[in-house]
Amino acid sequence: MEEKGKLNEECGLFGICLPEKKDVMHLSYYALYALQHRGQQAAGIAVATDGAIACRKGKGLTNEVFSKEVLENATEGNMAIAHCLYGRQESDAAENAQPLSTSHLEGRMAIAMNGALTNGKILKEALERQGCLFHTSSDCEIVAYQIIRHRLSEPSLEKAIEKAMDELEGAFSILVMSPTELIAARDPFGFRPLVLGTFEGGCIVASETCALDSIGAGFVRDIRPGEILVMKNGKATSYDGHCGKVPKRLCVFEHIYFARPDSFIDGASVQIARQRAGAFLALEHPVQADVVVGVPDSGIEAAMGYAKQSGIPYGIGFIKNKYIGRTFIAPGQRTREDLVRMKLNPVASTVKGKRVVLVDDSIVRGTTSRIIVKLLREAGAKEVHLMSSAPKFLYPCFYGTDISSSDYLIAYNHTDREMEEIIGVDSIGFLSVENVVKLADNGDRGFCTACFDMKYPTKIHAEVKRCRFDLEPGKEDN
Amino acid sequence: MEEKGKLNEECGLFGICLPEKKDVMHLSYYALYALQHRGQQAAGIAVATDGAIACRKGKGLTNEVFSKEVLENATEGNMAIAHCLYGRQESDAAENAQPLSTSHLEGRMAIAMNGALTNGKILKEALERQGCLFHTSSDCEIVAYQIIRHRLSEPSLEKAIEKAMDELEGAFSILVMSPTELIAARDPFGFRPLVLGTFEGGCIVASETCALDSIGAGFVRDIRPGEILVMKNGKATSYDGHCGKVPKRLCVFEHIYFARPDSFIDGASVQIARQRAGAFLALEHPVQADVVVGVPDSGIEAAMGYAKQSGIPYGIGFIKNKYIGRTFIAPGQRTREDLVRMKLNPVASTVKGKRVVLVDDSIVRGTTSRIIVKLLREAGAKEVHLMSSAPKFLYPCFYGTDISSSDYLIAYNHTDREMEEIIGVDSIGFLSVENVVKLADNGDRGFCTACFDMKYPTKIHAEVKRCRFDLEPGKEDN
Amino acid sequence: MEEKGKLNEECGLFGICLPEKKDVMHLSYYALYALQHRGQQAAGIAVATDGAIACRKGKGLTNEVFSKEVLENATEGNMAIAHCLYGRQESDAAENAQPLSTSHLEGRMAIAMNGALTNGKILKEALERQGCLFHTSSDCEIVAYQIIRHRLSEPSLEKAIEKAMDELEGAFSILVMSPTELIAARDPFGFRPLVLGTFEGGCIVASETCALDSIGAGFVRDIRPGEILVMKNGKATSYDGHCGKVPKRLCVFEHIYFARPDSFIDGASVQIARQRAGAFLALEHPVQADVVVGVPDSGIEAAMGYAKQSGIPYGIGFIKNKYIGRTFIAPGQRTREDLVRMKLNPVASTVKGKRVVLVDDSIVRGTTSRIIVKLLREAGAKEVHLMSSAPKFLYPCFYGTDISSSDYLIAYNHTDREMEEIIGVDSIGFLSVENVVKLADNGDRGFCTACFDMKYPTKIHAEVKRCRFDLEPGKEDN
Amino acid sequence: MEEKGKLNEECGLFGICLPEKKDVMHLSYYALYALQHRGQQAAGIAVATDGAIACRKGKGLTNEVFSKEVLENATEGNMAIAHCLYGRQESDAAENAQPLSTSHLEGRMAIAMNGALTNGKILKEALERQGCLFHTSSDCEIVAYQIIRHRLSEPSLEKAIEKAMDELEGAFSILVMSPTELIAARDPFGFRPLVLGTFEGGCIVASETCALDSIGAGFVRDIRPGEILVMKNGKATSYDGHCGKVPKRLCVFEHIYFARPDSFIDGASVQIARQRAGAFLALEHPVQADVVVGVPDSGIEAAMGYAKQSGIPYGIGFIKNKYIGRTFIAPGQRTREDLVRMKLNPVASTVKGKRVVLVDDSIVRGTTSRIIVKLLREAGAKEVHLMSSAPKFLYPCFYGTDISSSDYLIAYNHTDREMEEIIGVDSIGFLSVENVVKLADNGDRGFCTACFDMKYPTKIHAEVKRCRFDLEPGKEDN
């Protein structure tokens, strides 16, 4: 469900570096389709051809930005980087569309980024003090400046990126393309996924493996946290100066919600991680019920995991209207409930007269959950037990997820009993933080759980906190 | 999968008759969204207000035809009829968009239809001999003429429709709207579904119950085969002169493929019918396997039915890219396989190293099946056993399904062994005709199975046969 | 000035018949551009290729209906007919776009028409009594039915058209295309222009000669009033059964307003006719003034004629904003005056401190004239003398011009003194009916002047009159 | 005629500063319509409201960028700046659309510019050396950086602009808007026009007076060369530190070609200047002829001036198709001649059998002139004498006009006799440089004539010359 008060998806990155000229724009376009779930507000592709970089981007889905005419007139190239944007505000989408295509002393550079800096505000102010102008409100432009400034004194772009990474704090995967090379970097904590693939004698980098599959590329390995990978003429060279200095802290929502279930992140299957979330839930919150259903799309796998572990049959509880997209227009005086009803219809033959376990990926504000539960009851469900694949959301995220303040979080403000009453369920269960970190394996392989337990991996500067989240003094622990 | 050589979906109908003026255009628009799976080539809504009928229609999906501006400027009305078109040829979509809005001696009339006449060609020629002009190539215009000609001598529109139904042969559900009444009729065999609902003191008719659910309307009952229902000021009156003279012959593909799984047709749940198809398949074609997967979307429920019956675990085998819609542009030199790969990615964690039962709704040409099987094997499937919820397709359909000639049907031209080889599977299984008629219940409740066994419920005129299907003399049996 | 209360432009026709296949759709598209001034509400082209007719039409200007994609995918053909629509109501534009493409007993037929029938209502009712359905509200559909009904008993399409013309009353030029021939006909009074041209061994017919010039075609001659011209394989044959039975009655507004000044109608230059209008005005209404200016676009030539005859210098009085088209959006709270100001800016250097003769093509309601005069005075004009190339509009037109009732006509309701006061001019002058018929030559060559003097060439049936114009009993004279 | 090898039009600027909030976006939109002739590649408006600046811009005409929805949702503001772009390359239009909306240390700033810097390359390189990134290829971004860098040390934006102007060389009018003030500046030579107007208690600045007229604003005065005008709460304060140090050098093409004839530049009527050009031509190049015609649109006034001075009658020689705009699509295999024929039709009644004087604004490559002359001869002209309102183009322009190299200039490469032969005329005449500077008055009021006589007002740096024009060593004189 795309809605206010839900977690929102994370931008998608794709880059390709081939030894020869190919239709890299078309390949990037296909890959953006596969990564579209990570961001629907804007899309862009920058292509390097014969020493020049051409960039096309705009507001909207891939198919809105890349018309037939644009695609037909695309020139070939041997490198490209592409990006799909999830942005907090619709109004910023046109301005913040990436890649940024800029020129600097040494020529042209295109850059795209996924994530969020925690010291962006501080770096930006320092740059402005030196007379820098900002065209966008995205952290990507800050990263671009940091790199370019180091480029003035460093002998190569990769060295400049290495220096820049000393200053950047937060979650980021970045792709930088000059007319001759393509460089990928993942932040030292590895908050956001980034994988390396192989395609027709060259290299591909992408946020998720599903992008590799979509064009028939082979999977090579995950880019390591802190790694800088320089690709040139289809060959990749790795720089590991920032690797291994801090523990890995992958955002756990990549498994629970962001990534596509057919993707593998840091070696683990997203689908299996989701099923494991359901299985852990069944162990932590056993209930007497007749059917387990999931909220499409990301609750489905967890529901199947719950069903398998509990022995309660799995059923298809809802049909999601696949024609209602981002640009759906809702004329007339419709309530929020009317709109949920349009998008999601309960399957009466599955739930009528039954005690239902309803599994969702997470519960943020609880508003939509309340409506979904109401629909289930109207369709004849006798009992509804709501299970959340994610632990209770208590604290804001500063790493690119759109949870801005505890005030909006139902679990921050209410007890379980209150939540059950507000949402209208017979019982409610959240996955524990102890188990959520085991989703990808049987032990903790390194996840960021700050939104559940406030253990922010990076320093959270006072300036940043202030604008998004008034932490109470006693609670501040890093 | 929308593709050539697959069954195509059937047009959707919606009508609303309220005692007072409301935003009937908006309600129709929402209902078209719920029925969109039945036809994506064109959409239209005709609204009756104060004795006038205004019609808006065009090529494309509901959201392409009804822009924000159109919706905002919509006038209220107390009746509306709406239609979404599945057309055989893209090029006809603009011309054949429905409702038809016409004027005649007694005023204005809007009409929409779902299905196909088997004597359309004959009726059309007779009309032309009397100087009639045709603006479209759709059967709906023929029906309109038949009704209007009777209207000249009959005292009311319903009487004219009753007379017209004496002459119409084939599969049809029709909606006719004058400025003062809305009339729905279902053909005597009941080939296509049509249901009656209730909404704010008035009536609704729709192809499927999911359209009722989408706007929060109540379900009343199915329109009976042969029934004519006259709605005026929100009240419905039934005429049953054509009811019960012939046996019910619902198209079995409504359950297998066309309808949305959350709909109920003639009292039976589509979802359960699909699960039963899977269960029958498990009984008819047992295999030793490790996982059962379905081809999205309509193979999913059958796969779950197969899994449950066989005891083999169900798994999510494919992720379907939900952003690739009707208007997807495929730039560059892509093969059919590349495109399937874009749309449908196998989930390696489900199938790797396993013996897989793959359930699809039907096998028409086998082309896509072959590619899907290849993808499964690339993802590591050790064995693939392909099961079809539909029996073997052997004969053309004359009732609105887009199967034009046996020549294209893989099962008509090949043995099971040949098909296994062509498609690349370890075994293949089709549901039997004996069981397919039991999908909705434990006995045969009246289905058309002509495409499997040539038992056409209506006369198939030589003229019609000739243009679509050269039956061999010996085979002709009705 | 496109505005309510002004004469509106008349549809444009174009047809091409070549001995070989060519890009006739492209040629028609270019010709529609040249005829666009005759109608901007809809555009359409029907192309005949290999026995089939394909038609594309829609609401809007030529470039809105014919996108790059449509044009690039156009198939070649050896015949085409094209039409641009002026319609009375924006809302009808989509429905009434022409050509109509229909099928009938003998095959397919496309038809397009320019003008209006005076017995349309009567013919339509008779057709409806025989069970005919109407999809549009245009007279063209009535003409199509009349032709097709005769076609059932006549051996050829041309004979059917000849018979149909016996029944059609009013102003009409029509183009009819079957898969094998293209037939043009002009009504016996010759209300609307139609010319024959030659192009690459074939024939062209068009509403105006400027369409011939636009594609480099040669001019052959005007189609005669009442003539039927049959074109086949690029050769034309004339049928003159309806020629010469009634006097020619060309609509005088073709010269004054509708046609493009570079066109020639029935042998006379439109530009010279307009200049003659100005010269006659100077003779009939001499004033003491310093400069003569015209209201763009159609008042310009008349202003130059006035200037030359009077000896008062001609000046460019207004700059018209060429970017404000049919689809101009006027946000905010703008008055009519604000909008005129946007479109038309007086040139102060021409009029400041001067006594100005302002020549316009006609004065219908006087609303815009009042604003234009105000702008001239603000720009410093000392005196303004308003001259109209058309005589006083007193009666409605039934031949396709959009003057529906005397009630709206300033000259019908006011004396010259009153008009001067309302519009705010120092004097006002209208061309006399005696001289308007001499515009194209030194004697009366046959013009319809019914809107000035009520001498309707055809019978005006009571039914028609009633709906548009309540003639007082004593005034009824034909 | 918009074409390659012709002078192209110059960007348009508009700014408004009111004491209260109004629909400044709508007013800017109307003004852009009036200035649209100065640039059709992109349009943009930035609005300041309550301390925030929102900017909307894009490729295309005003009506393409500002949809109904955008306009309806426009928030009110008390200041706005707007820009329409003429760009050299279509491909840059999206990137170079203005205003630029940027953030810097002190907040937000929007900036728009008209003209071209002659030291842009030098300044840009210096900025890049300090780590600046450039998102566009427009000089406007360079100006923005120069201002912002000074803003770091200067106490106010106006002081920063004053300092920046010390470094900027070339032709420029600029508008800078902070959330609280709007500043306009004109370069010290006054290459490009800029006027001050008054509107509802506030100030307006615009490239031309026609923009003031379009919204009913009053004209106050021209902004002086070198003047900086600071507007705040509707009040303007002037800074004249850069005024009067160098002579005025208005681009003479503003009068001949760029500006709208109803505008006044530095006190002189554009229309009268063009008529004077024609009159001077008649004196310099008298011919025996029967009619004088102008090439629409900018040759018309000059033709009238020639006619008046010579006593030869003026005639309308061409009808320009007003429906063929910037986005006209030309399908099929059309020659350049076909396209000119579509756009421009000679009026045979004006030129047939006559000796014609043809007046055009300028002759750059001669390609279009040749076709126009051919059309005139086909329409029956006996002789054609071609007159150019502009002197012979010999040298490239570095101030924003799109004449990049002498190589393309027919007059640089050919004698008059050769040109007559190439273009196909009986004689050719160019206005002399002596007279062109007198267009706006009887003496030289200060024009840049560098493209005729190489007297560049500013230094032309070697770097700039090299990229656009290889001056031969001996010719280099500044």
Side-chain angles (χ1 to χ4, degrees), chain A residues 135-454:
Chain A
H135 292 241
T136 76
S137 57
S138 80
D139 285 350
C140 187
E141 196 174 4
I142 298 168
V143 175
Y145 267 118
Q146 294 299 118
I147 293 171
I148 282 319
R149 305 214 139 208
H150 285 294
R151 181 70 185 90
L152 295 175
S153 52
E154 295 296 327
S156 69
L157 190 54
E158 48 268 32
K159 291 286 174 202
I161 292 171
E162 207 164 2
K163 289 274 181 182
M165 278 178 73
D166 293 338
E167 300 151 353
L168 303 175
E169 298 174 9
F172 56 88
S173 292
I174 56 177
L175 297 182
V176 180
M177 184 171 72
S178 78
T180 55
E181 57 188 13
L182 198 170
I183 302 174
R186 190 176 175 193
D187 74 68
F189 290 100
F191 281 101
R192 301 288 156 218
L194 196 62
V195 297
L196 176 63
T198 178
F199 183 82
E200 303 196 358
C203 306
I204 283 180
V205 283
S207 289
E208 293 185 33
T209 59
C210 65
L212 304 181
D213 297 340
S214 75
I215 58 168
F219 170 76
V220 176
R221 63 172 175 85
D222 289 86
I223 306 286
R224 281 171 291 158
E227 183 175 3
I228 296 171
L229 198 78
V230 180
M231 289 158 275
K232 200 164 180 170
N233 299 321
K235 302 270 168 268
T237 314
S238 173
Y239 292 77
D240 61 2
H242 289 86
C243 297
K245 299 187 175 164
V246 293
K248 196 179 102 180
R249 286 289 175 260
L250 178 70
C251 170
V252 75
F253 277 95
E254 290 290 344
H255 276 300
I256 294 174
Y257 178 77
F258 297 149
R260 236 169 68 168
D262 51 337
S263 288
F264 287 75
I265 301 178
D266 291 342
S269 156
V270 172
Q271 189 186 44
I272 289 176
R274 290 189 187 174
Q275 290 177 354
R276 286 170 63 89
F280 281 125
L281 270 172
L283 292 167
E284 295 186 29
H285 301 279
V287 290
Q288 298 296 317
D290 305 308
V291 69
V292 183
V293 304
V295 178
D297 293 331
S298 42
I300 299 295
E301 283 89 357
M304 289 176 64
Y306 192 105
K308 206 169 177 183
Q309 179 66 37
S310 65
I312 304 168
Y314 169 75
I316 295 180
F318 298 92
I319 298 301
K320 189 173 171 183
N321 190 321
K322 62 181 172 178
Y323 300 99
I324 297 184
R326 198 184 58 90
T327 55
F328 175 66
I329 297 156
Q333 302 300 320
R334 305 298 144 191
T335 62
R336 185 164 179 71
E337 186 180 319
D338 289 336
L339 299 180
V340 173
R341 201 184 287 279
M342 278 292 301
K343 288 190 198 174
L344 219 53
N345 197 27
V347 181
S349 57
T350 301
V351 300
K352 196 170 185 179
K354 296 197 183 142
R355 294 168 301 174
V356 179
V357 174
L358 172 66
V359 186
D360 204 350
D361 50 63
S362 57
I363 299 168
V364 184
R365 297 189 181 200
T367 327
T368 303
S369 302
R370 196 181 49 74
I371 298 170
I372 290 172
V373 169
K374 191 180 169 211
L375 295 182
L376 274 186
R377 295 206 186 264
E378 285 177 10
K382 269 199 323 195
E383 292 178 14
V384 181
H385 302 271
L386 177 60
M387 299 292 148
S388 162
S389 292
K392 290 181 190 172
F393 253 121
L394 297 173
Y395 308 108
C397 173
F398 299 103
Y399 306 112
T401 313
D402 191 19
I403 297 300
S404 57
S405 158
S406 296
D407 297 346
Y408 303 115
L409 302 172
I410 188 170
Y412 183 80
N413 294 294
H414 296 284
T415 64
D416 285 10
R417 291 303 82 74
E418 287 170 351
M419 283 191 272
E420 284 165 10
E421 195 164 322
I422 290 166
I423 299 174
V425 290
D426 298 280
S427 76
I428 197 164
F430 291 87
L431 187 60
S432 64
V433 180
E434 289 66 39
N435 280 327
V436 84
V437 296
K438 299 181 196 154
L439 289 189
D441 211 333
N442 281 321
D444 181 348
R445 291 271 291 272
F447 285 106
C448 174
T449 54
C451 55
F452 312 132
D453 60 11
M454 237 190 180

Side-chain angles (χ1 to χ4, degrees), chain C residues 2 9 23 26-27 29-31 33-38 40 61 63 66-68 71-72 199 209-210 213-216 260-264 269-272 275 297 300-301 304 308 313-317 319-325 327-334 338-339 341-342 344-350, chain D residues 2 9 23 26-27 29-31 33-38 40 61 63 66-68 71-72 199 209-210 213-216 260-264 269-272 275 297 300-301 304 308 313-317 319-325 327-334 338-339 341-342 344-350:
Chain C
E2 299 109 24
E9 305 169 40
D23 61 344
H26 297 165
L27 291 163
Y29 162 87
Y30 287 115
Y33 257 100
L35 295 170
Q36 190 79 81
H37 60 286
R38 297 187 71 87
Q40 291 110 39
L61 296 169
N63 71 323
F66 295 93
S67 65
K68 204 179 162 198
L71 292 167
E72 277 172 358
F199 184 82
T209 58
C210 65
D213 298 341
S214 75
I215 57 168
R260 232 170 71 169
D262 50 337
S263 289
F264 287 73
S269 156
V270 171
Q271 188 186 47
I272 290 177
Q275 289 177 353
D297 295 326
I300 300 295
E301 283 90 355
M304 290 175 64
K308 204 169 178 183
Y314 168 76
I316 294 180
I319 297 301
K320 190 175 171 180
N321 190 321
K322 62 183 173 176
Y323 299 99
I324 297 183
T327 54
F328 175 65
I329 297 157
Q333 303 300 320
R334 306 295 147 193
D338 288 336
L339 299 179
R341 200 184 289 276
M342 279 291 300
L344 219 53
N345 197 28
V347 182
S349 57
T350 303
Chain D
E2 298 109 25
E9 306 172 39
D23 61 343
H26 297 166
L27 291 163
Y29 163 87
Y30 287 114
Y33 257 99
L35 295 171
Q36 190 78 81
H37 60 285
R38 297 186 71 88
Q40 291 110 41
L61 295 170
N63 70 324
F66 295 92
S67 66
K68 203 179 162 197
L71 292 167
E72 278 172 356
F199 184 81
T209 59
C210 67
D213 298 342
S214 76
I215 56 167
R260 232 169 72 169
D262 50 337
S263 289
F264 287 74
S269 156
V270 172
Q271 188 186 47
I272 289 176
Q275 289 177 353
D297 295 327
I300 298 296
E301 283 90 355
M304 289 176 64
K308 204 168 176 183
Y314 168 76
I316 295 180
I319 298 299
K320 189 174 172 182
N321 191 322
K322 61 181 171 177
Y323 299 98
I324 298 182
T327 56
F328 176 66
I329 298 155
Q333 304 299 321
R334 307 295 146 190
D338 289 337
L339 298 180
R341 201 185 286 279
M342 277 292 300
L344 220 53
N345 198 28
V347 182
S349 57
T350 302

Side-chain angles (χ1 to χ4, degrees), chain A residues 2 9 23 26-27 29-31 33-38 40 61 63 66-68 71-72 199 209-210 213-216 260-264 269-272 275 297 300-301 304 308 313-317 319-325 327-334 338-339 341-342 344-350, chain B residues 2 9 23 26-27 29-31 33-38 40 61 63 66-68 71-72 199 209-210 213-216 260-264 269-272 275 297 300-301 304 308 313-317 319-325 327-334 338-339 341-342 344-350:
Chain A
E2 299 108 26
E9 304 170 40
D23 60 345
H26 297 165
L27 292 163
Y29 162 87
Y30 287 115
Y33 257 99
L35 295 171
Q36 189 80 80
H37 60 285
R38 296 186 70 87
Q40 292 111 41
L61 296 168
N63 70 325
F66 295 92
S67 66
K68 204 179 162 196
L71 292 166
E72 279 172 356
F199 183 82
T209 59
C210 65
D213 297 340
S214 75
I215 58 168
R260 236 169 68 168
D262 51 337
S263 288
F264 287 75
S269 156
V270 172
Q271 189 186 44
I272 289 176
Q275 290 177 354
D297 293 331
I300 299 295
E301 283 89 357
M304 289 176 64
K308 206 169 177 183
Y314 169 75
I316 295 180
I319 298 301
K320 189 173 171 183
N321 190 321
K322 62 181 172 178
Y323 300 99
I324 297 184
T327 55
F328 175 66
I329 297 156
Q333 302 300 320
R334 305 298 144 191
D338 289 336
L339 299 180
R341 201 184 287 279
M342 278 292 301
L344 219 53
N345 197 27
V347 181
S349 57
T350 301
Chain B
E2 299 108 25
E9 306 172 37
D23 60 344
H26 297 166
L27 291 163
Y29 162 87
Y30 286 114
Y33 257 98
L35 296 170
Q36 190 79 82
H37 59 286
R38 297 187 70 87
Q40 291 110 41
L61 295 169
N63 72 323
F66 295 93
S67 65
K68 203 179 164 198
L71 292 167
E72 279 172 356
F199 184 82
T209 58
C210 66
D213 298 340
S214 76
I215 57 168
R260 233 169 71 168
D262 50 338
S263 289
F264 288 74
S269 156
V270 171
Q271 188 186 45
I272 289 177
Q275 289 178 355
D297 294 325
I300 298 296
E301 283 90 356
M304 289 175 64
K308 206 169 176 183
Y314 167 77
I316 295 180
I319 297 300
K320 190 174 172 181
N321 189 322
K322 61 181 173 177
Y323 300 99
I324 297 184
T327 54
F328 176 67
I329 298 155
Q333 304 299 319
R334 305 298 146 192
D338 288 336
L339 298 180
R341 199 184 288 277
M342 278 292 299
L344 220 52
N345 197 29
V347 181
S349 56
T350 302

Side-chain angles (χ1 to χ4, degrees), chain C residues 12 26 97 117 146 149 171 190 212 231 252 265 287 323 337 370 457:
Chain C
H26 297 165
L117 299 181
Q146 293 299 118
R149 306 218 134 204
L212 304 181
M231 290 158 275
V252 74
I265 302 177
V287 291
Y323 299 99
E337 185 180 318
R370 197 180 50 73

